């Protein structure tokens, strides 16, 4: 016999008033238009312009950073990027809280860094958030997903199309959904 749950999700009960974006409504609105016009625009290939705009809105960005076209960043004031980082086309950084990206990190096209989720056990479907940290030399493969509260340790690799729902060990290659360690990473 199947268990029948009498509780249901009621989105009218949803309340994230506790959540603070870290910016005023005016700043968030200005960022929405700047993000749409400059970062998420496929006709602007120049990283320098994107970096200047991100810094203007509070992002901390190192030197030698490359940001490809059609990148979407939720809140730049919650973003720290080290030196010589590559961010590929169509990357979506949904940084409701801090995302920290170390030096020499590659985030390949279509990858998603997701700092938010919902509590499916609650009828009110409460918002849950968690920081993401990607340490030096790591690589997030194309079309991969990094979930809230995940640290990708130094030089780890998340393979194409994989989902990191837990921390990844340093110098290891992870693959699948959920991502599991498939081998060590040896750099020659």
């Amino acid at each position: 016999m199947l268990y029948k749950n009498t509780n249901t999700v009621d989105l009218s009960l949803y309340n994230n008033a506790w959540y603070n974006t870290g910016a005023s409504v005016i700043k968030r609105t200005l960022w929405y238009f700047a993000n749409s016009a400059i970062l998420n625009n496929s006709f602007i290939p120049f990283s320098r312009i994107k970096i200047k705009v991100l810094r203007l809105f509070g992002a901390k960005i190192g030197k030698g950073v490359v940001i490809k076209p059609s990148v979407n960043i939720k809140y730049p004031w919650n973003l720290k990027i080290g030196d010589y980082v590559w961010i590929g086309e169509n990357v979506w950084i949904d940084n409701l809280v801090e995302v920290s990206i170390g030096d020499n990190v590659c985030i390949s096209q279509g990858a998603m860094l997701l700092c938010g989720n919902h509590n499916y056990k609650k009828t009110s479907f409460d918002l849950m958030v968690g920081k993401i940290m990607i340490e030096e030399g790591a690589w997030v493969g194309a079309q991969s997903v990094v979930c809230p509260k995940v640290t990708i340790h130094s030089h780890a690799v998340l393979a194409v199309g994989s989902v990191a729902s837990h921390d990844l060990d340093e110098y290891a290659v992870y693959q699948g959904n959920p991502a599991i360690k498939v081998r060590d990473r040896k750099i020659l």
Side-chain angles (χ1 to χ4, degrees), residues 113-181:
L113 309 183
L114 304 175
C115 289
N117 203 343
H118 294 278
N119 188 343
Y120 65 87
K121 295 178 183 178
K122 298 275 206 151
T123 60
S124 55
F125 208 53
D126 295 347
L127 177 65
M128 303 182 305
V129 295
K131 296 178 181 179
I132 292 174
M133 180 180 295
I134 303 174
E135 294 181 351
E136 179 182 3
W139 179 13
V140 177
Q143 301 294 322
S144 293
V145 176
V146 180
C147 295
K149 299 182 182 178
V150 167
T151 296
I152 298 179
H153 288 283
S154 176
H155 295 85
V157 175
L158 181 62
V160 170
S162 297
V163 177
S165 56
H166 56 82
D167 292 356
L168 306 187
D169 295 335
E170 63 182 21
Y171 289 93
V173 178
Y174 286 79
Q175 185 174 22
N177 180 7
I180 58 170
K181 182 178 175 183

Side-chain angles (χ1 to χ4, degrees), residues 20 47 73-74 79 83 114 125 139 144 161 165:
N20 181 357
S47 293
I73 296 175
K74 183 78 160 202
L79 184 61
D83 298 335
L114 304 175
F125 208 53
W139 179 13
S144 293
S165 56

